[in-house]
Amino acid sequence: MRDVPRFSHPRLLLGSETNDDAGVFLLNDELALIQTVDFFPPMVDDPYLFGAIAAANALSDIYAMGGTPLTALNVAAFPACEDKALFIRILQGGADKVLESGAFLVGGHTIDDEEPKYGLAVTGTARPGEIITNSGAAEGDLLFLTKPLGVGIITTALKTGMVKEAEIAPVLQSMASLNGAAARVMVECGVKGGTDVTGFGLLGHLYELASASGLLAELWMELIPIHQEAEELAIQEIAPGGAYRNLKYLQDKVSFAPQVAEHQRLLLADPQTSGGLLMAVPKQLAGRVEGQLELAGVEYAIVGKMRAGSGIKVLSE
Ligand code: CO
Ligand code: CO
Ligand code: CO
């Protein structure tokens, strides 16, 4: 990427350098534009569900920044020889998610490709003072996580037929669910630091949050929500290549208590598709955030704490 020109402007609040979830451009003193794009090949057979998951995942980067999605464009690839009805089902799944988010689908682009791919380019808005970033965490903040970990491991097992889609309906439901309600709680309560958990796994995204904020993140292994199926698979060393790559990348940045088992390390580094939000919540706001998340029906867990220092420490009893 070093040979690609970099962009900077006083109104360009967040570009591609900070590893944040989306780019942010200040339109005027009251309004910032948030833009992101995400698309990938199917991880499930059901085309409608794939569309819904891909759309929820793309919308999540707007939510992770504390934004409200406004418009979305389909980004798609589909083999010309395949049954068009399948493609329509993908688009329906995506469009229904955009509808649920309150945003508007305004077009898109499809190319012919051997392997189908689908996602969205999403534009959202936020008040400049309410934008949530990787650098917004402070010492003493509690780490809140929504959505259990392990969907990368489970979808890997899906590909090999070790599990069937019908057996993991709640997992797929979790992947297709929007992070919108949790994002509104963050904004209403004044949370400043956060991100969503996607391809780099909990550890990778937490490391971005900790390093951008100049802090050390402490995780409490026993409190981290994990899909039970994923735990069982991880024990059998079923995990996507990305989980191993994430662990390798993080090896000198994360210290694990000796009790943290090998399979637990894989789960913490498992790449998530449409994962939950990771929020750094100041202690004095924690009670309010908990109350509002419960009221909104969002499942969450308090999984750790930000401290002075650098890197990540995973503690276990
Ligand atoms: Co993201
Ligand atoms: Co993204
Ligand atoms: Co992120």
Side-chain angles (χ1 to χ4, degrees):
M1 297 293 276
R2 223 179 312 132
D3 300 330
V4 181
R6 287 164 178 251
F7 295 84
S8 75
H9 188 276
R11 288 181 176 276
L12 184 57
L13 301 186
L14 290 171
S16 52
E17 275 121 63
T18 57
N19 293 320
D20 268 290
D21 298 293
V24 181
F25 191 85
L26 192 63
L27 287 178
N28 56 48
D29 290 349
E30 274 94 59
L31 199 64
L33 196 68
I34 309 178
Q35 292 180 292
T36 182
V37 59
D38 250 309
F39 63 105
F40 39 63
M43 76 302 293
V44 292
D45 285 336
D46 181 331
Y48 180 89
L49 192 58
F50 165 54
I53 291 170
N57 176 73
L59 286 157
S60 177
D61 278 332
I62 301 288
Y63 291 134
M65 307 293 297
T68 304
L70 186 63
T71 56
L73 296 162
N74 285 324
V75 182
F78 199 74
C81 57
E82 273 283 349
D83 183 2
K84 278 282 173 301
L86 284 175
F87 185 49
I88 303 289
R89 287 299 284 161
I90 295 173
L91 297 184
Q92 283 171 337
D96 280 346
K97 270 299 143 187
V98 175
L99 200 62
E100 186 187 333
S101 77
F104 302 94
L105 200 57
V106 294
H109 187 72
T110 306
I111 59 161
D112 176 20
D113 196 1
E114 273 170 43
E115 186 187 44
K117 291 167 196 82
Y118 176 69
L120 298 173
V122 192
T123 299
T125 58
R127 289 201 196 104
E130 295 179 346
I131 292 163
I132 294 161
T133 63
N134 277 330
S135 59
E139 194 179 337
D141 284 0
L142 292 171
L143 292 166
F144 281 55
L145 177 68
T146 69
K147 294 193 184 181
L149 303 179
V151 301
I153 287 168
I154 294 171
T155 53
T156 299
L158 212 50
K159 278 182 204 135
T160 64
M162 283 185 76
V163 292
K164 301 270 172 292
E165 272 177 43
E167 299 164 354
I168 53 159
V171 176
L172 300 173
Q173 218 42 59
S174 164
M175 290 168 81
S177 72
L178 291 174
N179 285 328
R184 278 187 293 279
V185 172
M186 286 201 294
V187 172
E188 276 166 28
C189 294
V191 171
K192 296 287 172 240
T195 182
D196 58 356
V197 178
T198 53
F200 301 130
L202 174 62
L203 289 180
H205 290 282
L206 179 58
Y207 181 72
E208 287 178 347
L209 186 74
S211 58
S213 299
L215 294 167
L216 167 115
E218 183 181 286
L219 278 181
W220 306 323
M221 192 66 224
E222 281 75 19
L223 298 184
I224 297 168
I226 291 163
H227 288 295
Q228 199 203 316
E229 299 87 342
E231 181 112 44
E232 288 158 12
L233 290 160
I235 289 170
Q236 302 169 62
E237 287 176 39
I238 309 294
Y244 293 94
R245 280 194 298 277
N246 288 341
L247 268 186
K248 182 146 199 266
Y249 169 76
L250 292 161
Q251 62 189 0
D252 51 2
K253 303 172 175 76
V254 182
S255 75
F256 294 98
Q259 302 95 304
V260 181
E262 220 42 64
H263 81 274
Q264 290 178 309
R265 300 177 192 207
L266 279 176
L267 286 158
L268 295 180
D270 182 37
Q272 303 298 283
T273 300
S274 193
L277 295 184
L278 176 66
M279 324 173 184
V281 179
K283 260 216 174 93
Q284 67 275 17
L285 296 180
R288 203 165 144 224
V289 170
E290 288 199 76
Q292 295 226 19
L293 287 173
E294 271 155 36
L295 212 60
V298 177
E299 282 185 45
Y300 70 93
I302 299 175
V303 298
K305 191 177 179 173
M306 303 303 285
R307 293 189 181 276
S310 67
I312 298 178
K313 258 190 188 150
V314 185
L315 306 184
S316 181
E317 277 150 23

